[in-house]
Amino acid sequence: MKLEVENITAGYGNITVLRDVSFKVNDGGVVGVLGRNGMGKSTLIKCLAGLILPTEGTIKLNGEDISKLLPHARANRGVTTVVQGRGIFPDLTVMENLEMGRIAGGRGKRNRLEEVLGYFPHLRERLTQLAGTLSGGEQQMLAIGRGLMTDPKLILLDEPSDGIMPTLVEQIAATLGEINRREGTTIVIVEQNLPMIFSLAEYCIVFEKGKLVAEGTCEKIQKSEILQEYLAI
Ligand SMILES: Nc1ncnc2c1ncn2[C@@H]1O[C@H](COP(=O)(O)OP(=O)(O)O)[C@@H](O)[C@H]1O
Ligand SMILES: [Mg+2]
């Protein structure tokens, strides 16, 4: 699904966070969103998901202006969001969480349970376990798996590596890459874990104080001064 963000400004009440942000993601593309804490990355994800609405500018999905659509209407068009901190239901079982994902898709789609468990075999052994008792990495897999149950065309991920063991981060990155290649799913991923971003994305956009201040192929970003300048690495 092609995503076009044109000159969006957004924030919370009187507070403007994002200013005049524009970028494009091709159908099937993977774009990484970089920037230090507090620079507006999660606000961008919320804006794309429809949790907050831009006060200016437009967001287009395959050419359709979705800027004013609420989250469920965007979900109906194939947008799924994996929020920062995972947002699973801790008191429901793994199976029930996945079922909630299928319902959230809301489009009477085929049941993707077998495919999702194929991507995340870890979850198959834990279907009857309460989600709150899973490890951090397993919870993240469940959050992504729940998103996949909606049969998404665009996946928005907010720092999926946050608080997860390095080996599981690699595994999650590899699985996201596989999903992208096999299903052609477009991905926008916020990450501070640069190896994860560089293994997965082909293009990166960098935020500083709510503005998109640099962009380019991961190769270009890696070779340039951008990382030192905006990420203090
Ligand atoms: N719900 C909110 N209400 C008011 N301000 C917020 C809210 N959420 C985030 N902010 C502010 O917006 C700015 C960007 O935050 P955020 O998008 O979460 O950054 P990042 O994800 O890059 O760390 C910060 O200054 C933050 O304090
Ligand atoms: Mg954030």
Side-chain angles (χ1 to χ4, degrees):
M1 195 165 237
K2 187 178 178 190
L3 172 69
E4 293 165 281
V5 174
E6 294 167 353
N7 309 103
I8 59 165
T9 291
Y12 308 91
N14 292 331
I15 307 161
T16 299
V17 175
L18 298 176
R19 287 175 202 275
D20 202 22
V21 171
S22 302
F23 65 94
K24 281 186 191 144
V25 189
N26 293 328
D27 185 23
V30 183
V31 164
V33 181
L34 305 177
R36 286 191 295 261
N37 280 334
M39 292 306 165
K41 305 181 301 297
S42 293
T43 303
L44 174 70
I45 294 293
K46 286 181 230 171
C47 207
L48 297 176
L51 294 167
I52 58 174
L53 299 179
T55 50
E56 281 174 60
T58 56
I59 302 168
K60 289 182 190 160
L61 272 185
N62 283 346
E64 181 196 4
D65 184 352
I66 59 153
S67 319
K68 303 217 161 43
L69 295 185
L70 295 175
H72 67 88
R74 298 191 197 194
N76 278 334
R77 284 161 176 75
V79 181
T80 202
T81 311
V82 180
V83 297
Q84 191 165 13
R86 303 168 201 126
I88 54 155
F89 301 101
D91 297 330
L92 298 183
T93 65
V94 168
M95 184 66 217
E96 287 163 347
N97 269 276
L98 292 172
E99 183 63 14
M100 293 296 274
R102 192 173 68 82
I103 295 165
R107 289 173 296 163
K109 285 273 172 150
R110 68 209 161 83
N111 194 336
R112 302 213 340 140
L113 182 63
E114 276 309 309
E115 284 161 88
V116 171
L117 296 178
Y119 285 125
F120 296 110
H122 254 82
L123 298 179
R124 188 189 294 279
E125 301 152 26
R126 294 172 174 77
L127 285 174
T128 57
Q129 194 173 326
L130 291 183
T133 66
L134 298 173
S135 75
E138 289 162 355
Q139 290 188 19
Q140 190 57 263
M141 290 177 185
L142 176 58
I144 297 169
R146 194 181 64 182
L148 286 179
M149 291 292 286
T150 67
D151 199 16
K153 305 296 171 234
L154 169 63
I155 305 182
L156 310 170
L157 294 138
D158 196 352
E159 303 209 26
S161 82
D162 201 8
I164 291 174
M165 288 194 319
T167 52
L168 282 185
V169 171
E170 268 173 43
Q171 206 176 315
I172 289 171
T175 304
L176 288 170
E178 191 188 339
I179 292 162
N180 168 256
R181 281 188 300 278
R182 279 180 51 173
E183 305 191 17
T185 319
T186 308
I187 298 180
V188 175
I189 176 169
V190 172
E191 255 309 330
Q192 311 232 28
N193 183 318
L194 295 178
M196 184 180 193
I197 280 282
F198 293 146
S199 75
L200 196 58
E202 60 252 20
Y203 199 83
C204 290
I205 56 181
V206 184
F207 282 79
E208 170 99 338
K209 295 181 185 157
K211 286 192 174 152
L212 197 161
V213 287
E215 62 183 303
T217 60
C218 288
E219 212 186 346
K220 177 189 147 185
I221 300 265
Q222 270 174 297
K223 284 184 192 155
S224 69
E225 307 287 291
I226 292 167
L227 295 182
Q228 287 85 333
E229 197 171 345
Y230 297 113
L231 304 173
I233 282 159

